[in-house]
């Protein structure tokens, strides 16, 4: 009596199961990015006072005035089979806040790296969790 095991078939089955789980993990990671964006883009700033509004100082994340930038972040499907976490904003001035304006009228108010840094530990945990591979 002899037994044969198809190692290639087992490997392909495991790979298929991992690939099937990745979009859900990317969605969870994208949600964490969005939560981090909401946290980073809230709170008081230390810039100029305009009546009751306190603007952000250069180098701080943008201050919340209308809440449009803060509330505009949404998860997007990105990468082959939607396996990469991402968020985007449809607010046209988001890039100006991050990088400043041409000519320097508005100095950069960086927030992207702070969002990623805040979300990174939880995103790493999402992807480090064991995959549910069954044979």
């Amino acid at each position: 009596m002899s037994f044969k095991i198809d190692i290639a078939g087992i490997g392909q089955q495991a790979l298929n199961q991992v690939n099937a789980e990745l979009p859900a993990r990317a969605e969870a990671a994208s949600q964490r990015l969005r939560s981090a964006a909401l946290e980073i883009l809230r709170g008081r700033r230390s810039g100029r006072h305009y009546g009751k509004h306190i603007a952000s100082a250069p180098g701080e994340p943008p201050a919340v005035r209308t809440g449009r930038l803060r509330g505009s972040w949404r998860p997007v499907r990105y990468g082959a089979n939607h396996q990469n976490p991402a968020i985007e904003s449809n607010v046209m001035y988001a890039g100006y806040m991050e990088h400043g304006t041409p000519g320097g009228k508005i100095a950069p108010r960086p927030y992207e790296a702070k969002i990623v840094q805040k979300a990174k530990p939880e995103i790493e945990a999402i992807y480090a969790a064991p995959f549910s591979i069954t044979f």
Side-chain angles (χ1 to χ4, degrees), residues 95-102 104 106-109:
Y96 292 138
M97 294 286 97
E98 175 68 21
H99 305 290
T101 56
I106 298 176
R109 267 67 174 173

Side-chain angles (χ1 to χ4, degrees), residues 20-44:
E21 286 186 35
L22 283 175
R25 290 183 187 218
E27 180 68 25
S30 294
Q31 288 295 343
R32 184 56 203 130
L33 281 169
R34 184 176 184 282
S35 296
L38 293 174
E39 291 175 34
I40 295 296
L41 295 173
R42 75 171 183 211
R44 299 186 63 77

Side-chain angles (χ1 to χ4, degrees), residues 88-121:
E88 70 179 12
S89 171
N90 62 354
V91 173
M92 65 184 196
Y93 57 84
Y96 292 138
M97 294 286 97
E98 175 68 21
H99 305 290
T101 56
K105 184 169 181 166
I106 298 176
R109 267 67 174 173
Y111 56 89
E112 290 176 6
K114 293 173 185 174
I115 291 169
V116 171
Q117 180 182 4
K118 182 150 188 70
K120 188 176 180 179

Side-chain angles (χ1 to χ4, degrees), residues 25-71:
R25 290 183 187 218
E27 180 68 25
S30 294
Q31 288 295 343
R32 184 56 203 130
L33 281 169
R34 184 176 184 282
S35 296
L38 293 174
E39 291 175 34
I40 295 296
L41 295 173
R42 75 171 183 211
R44 299 186 63 77
R45 301 293 183 252
S46 63
R48 290 184 180 175
H49 292 247
Y50 297 98
K52 293 182 179 183
H53 175 68
I54 302 173
S56 59
E60 289 183 332
V64 177
R65 184 164 183 187
T66 64
R68 188 167 172 224
L69 175 64
R70 184 174 182 264

